[in-house]
Amino acid sequence: MSSAGGPAGAEGKDTSGLRAALGGLTTRGRSFFAAGVAAALCAYVLGQGDLLRVGLLLAVLPLVCVAVLYRTRYQVAGSRRLSPLRVPAGSEARVHLRMDNVSRLPTGLLMLQDHVPYVLGPRPRFVLDRVEAGGRREVSYRVRSDLRGRYPLGPLQLRLSDPFGMCELTRSFSAYDTLTVIPRTEALPAVRLAGEASGYGDGRQRSLALAGDDDIIPRNYRYGDDLRRVHWRSTARYGELMVRREEQPQRARCTVLLDTRRIAYQGAGPDSAFEWAVSGAASALVHMLERGFAVRLLTDTGSSVPSEGADGFAGSTQESAGLMMDTLAVVDHSDGAGLSRSYDVLRGGNEGLLVAFFGDLDEEQAALAARMRQRSGAAVAFVLDSGTWVTSGAVAGAVDDRLRLLREAGWTALSVSPGTPLSDLWQQAGRQRSESSGSGTNGFSGGWS
């Protein structure tokens, strides 16, 4: 929740002065004031005391309304709450507005207006009846966007009017909120990785904490330890019972590579090839995190999310998942022409599973992508021919050549036709990997089964 209790930054001194308050007089208020002044002048000329009193009443009434509203508008507090703060594209979020009357006097008619970007829908407006002293009113509205991004909400504007309709004053609160629209994600089928030890989850492996018997770093014996794990050589050396350390669970790794090169994609909009690739990368990230993998997001620019932590990989926590989804919410085309920077990031090896979403690949970039397979344990590529997404045509022969090159290098490579669900391709990749593993082709030592 964000509070909006204070006035906008520049409103406090100049625009909130008496001149601005008098400028809030309505046509009725100005007419009453003018009629009162005219009646007072006529009474003075004609010497009519009763007419003078009527004129003063007509002139003072609008000024009293101005003074009351001028004081009241700084004793009304507003707040906004988003539910949820992060929403997939095409889904709705609800915005809750709350107005609190913190004064000892009731308010008049309140008119609320919240500023929202055009892409989220029409600007919401509400009319609130009289709010009693210490009372509150709550209203809500819905926003929806088919385009991912980060959208500011606010500032909230409040218009007050007196019961006589003499004056209307506007107050702009200073607080903003941000709605993050993340890419759509698909639920992917469970495709188990080969070479995993049973009993430790799909994304975990077992590895000894020690290199060998001569390199053992034992620990002190603890009550309940299995006596079969006692290391007698260390026990004799230290003079107390020592045991071998247990095997430590090691989280399997997965890198999701997203090709964002501007020259690799044609078209724009929610149904474009680039948006499919972004949505596919988001689905793969969520799926692998749910399977217990340590995951990172890598783009062709060489930027990795998360950039810190254990070798740049994130565990299955809401914070790390949210960070990567926030990145995908605002990711845009890069001006780079090649994949060399992402290749350099992968050159360390031992990257585990590599899942890549490529746009158009020329012969040079396809060869570079093929060499990325050497940096990972298993690799799956989804290759988009963005031209077919514009024309809704079939996959061109050039894409078949790129797929053949990737498969010869050991990739499980699939072409992506317009509108194909990622879940179908994910299952197809599993079958393709199972067939290649069974035949012993492509030099795979582990992967999809």
Side-chain angles (χ1 to χ4, degrees):
M1 177 183 293
S2 63
S3 175
E11 190 183 20
K13 295 181 180 179
D14 298 329
T15 60
S16 297
L18 181 59
R19 183 178 302 175
L22 292 176
L25 285 173
T26 62
T27 302
R28 179 183 298 178
R30 295 174 187 273
S31 300
F32 266 66
F33 182 77
V37 172
L41 291 176
C42 292
Y44 177 76
V45 173
L46 300 176
Q48 297 293 326
D50 293 337
L51 181 60
L52 178 61
R53 284 190 289 271
V54 172
L56 291 178
L57 176 62
L58 294 177
V60 169
L61 180 59
L63 299 180
V64 171
C65 293
V66 168
V68 171
L69 286 186
Y70 178 68
R71 180 179 180 275
T72 302
R73 69 172 178 167
Y74 289 112
Q75 298 187 6
V76 177
S79 61
R80 182 192 301 104
R81 178 172 57 87
L82 303 182
S83 177
L85 290 171
R86 188 183 290 114
V87 63
S91 300
E92 291 184 342
R94 184 168 288 275
V95 184
H96 302 269
L97 303 177
R98 189 175 106 178
M99 303 304 300
D100 293 272
N101 182 11
V102 297
S103 69
R104 299 179 180 178
L105 297 175
T107 68
L109 195 66
L110 302 180
M111 288 169 282
L112 296 179
Q113 176 177 278
D114 206 8
H115 287 262
V116 300
Y118 176 76
V119 70
L120 296 182
R123 183 171 295 178
R125 294 180 174 88
F126 303 93
V127 177
L128 303 182
D129 203 354
R130 175 179 177 273
V131 181
E132 66 278 6
R136 69 177 57 169
R137 295 289 185 272
E138 294 186 6
V139 294
S140 65
Y141 63 93
R142 294 177 294 180
V143 291
R144 179 182 179 273
S145 174
D146 292 326
L147 300 175
R148 57 185 175 80
R150 291 173 62 87
Y151 301 102
L153 299 178
L156 177 65
Q157 282 191 340
L158 172 65
R159 180 175 294 180
L160 303 93
S161 63
D162 64 280
F164 301 103
M166 299 290 180
C167 181
E168 288 185 355
L169 293 180
T170 301
R171 174 183 177 185
S172 293
F173 297 95
S174 59
Y176 288 82
D177 286 279
T178 301
L179 176 67
T180 303
V181 180
I182 61 177
R184 296 184 182 94
T185 57
E186 293 184 45
L188 303 181
V191 180
R192 191 163 56 101
L193 290 177
E196 295 168 330
S198 60
Y200 288 90
D202 291 334
R204 294 187 181 274
Q205 301 171 338
R206 296 280 284 181
S207 64
L208 286 172
L210 313 171
D213 190 65
D214 294 335
D215 300 321
I216 286 178
I217 305 176
R219 61 171 176 81
N220 293 330
Y221 174 82
R222 298 171 186 166
Y223 178 77
D225 284 338
D226 191 345
L227 292 177
R228 289 175 295 182
R229 291 180 29 243
V230 173
H231 191 249
W232 298 108
R233 183 181 302 176
S234 298
T235 299
R237 179 185 303 172
Y238 294 105
E240 56 182 328
L241 208 57
M242 308 292 289
V243 297
R244 293 183 176 90
R245 293 189 178 185
E246 304 94 338
E247 291 181 340
Q248 301 294 328
Q250 181 180 4
R251 190 181 298 274
R253 293 177 173 181
C254 175
T255 297
V256 178
L257 173 61
L258 176 61
D259 180 10
T260 64
R261 295 172 299 135
R262 189 180 302 275
I263 62 173
Y265 297 94
Q266 301 179 36
D271 298 325
S272 65
F274 180 66
E275 292 302 321
W276 190 98
V278 174
S279 178
S283 301
L285 286 170
V286 172
H287 177 74
M288 301 312 290
L289 283 171
E290 291 175 349
R291 296 290 301 275
F293 279 72
V295 183
R296 71 173 173 180
L297 172 65
L298 179 65
T299 66
D300 59 289
T301 62
S303 60
S304 176
V305 180
S307 57
E308 300 177 355
D311 300 325
F313 288 83
S316 54
T317 63
Q318 291 185 352
E319 182 179 357
S320 57
L323 177 61
M324 288 184 283
M325 296 302 286
D326 287 346
T327 301
L328 289 176
V330 296
V331 70
D332 201 356
H333 291 292
S334 68
D335 294 327
L339 302 169
S340 57
R341 283 179 285 183
S342 58
Y343 175 79
D344 292 337
V345 175
L346 295 171
R347 66 183 178 182
N350 191 26
E351 299 296 335
L353 174 65
L354 176 61
V355 180
F357 294 85
F358 293 120
D360 297 333
L361 296 173
D362 57 25
E363 186 174 356
E364 178 183 357
Q365 299 308 315
L368 185 60
R371 293 199 297 273
M372 292 181 183
R373 167 65 181 85
Q374 303 171 4
R375 316 288 180 158
S376 60
V380 181
F382 301 95
V383 183
L384 293 85
D385 180 10
S386 62
T388 64
W389 287 71
V390 176
T391 60
S392 299
V395 177
V399 175
D400 292 336
D401 296 337
R402 308 298 182 244
L403 293 175
R404 188 180 304 111
L405 178 61
L406 293 175
R407 289 167 181 165
E408 290 175 353
W411 284 83
T412 300
L414 298 95
S415 61
V416 181
S417 301
T420 305
L422 178 61
S423 56
D424 294 347
L425 295 173
W426 197 264
Q427 213 159 23
Q428 182 181 346
R431 291 194 299 266
Q432 188 179 122
R433 175 65 195 103
S434 179
E435 294 172 359
S436 62
S437 297
S439 61
T441 58
N442 291 343
F444 277 32
S445 59
W448 302 80
S449 65

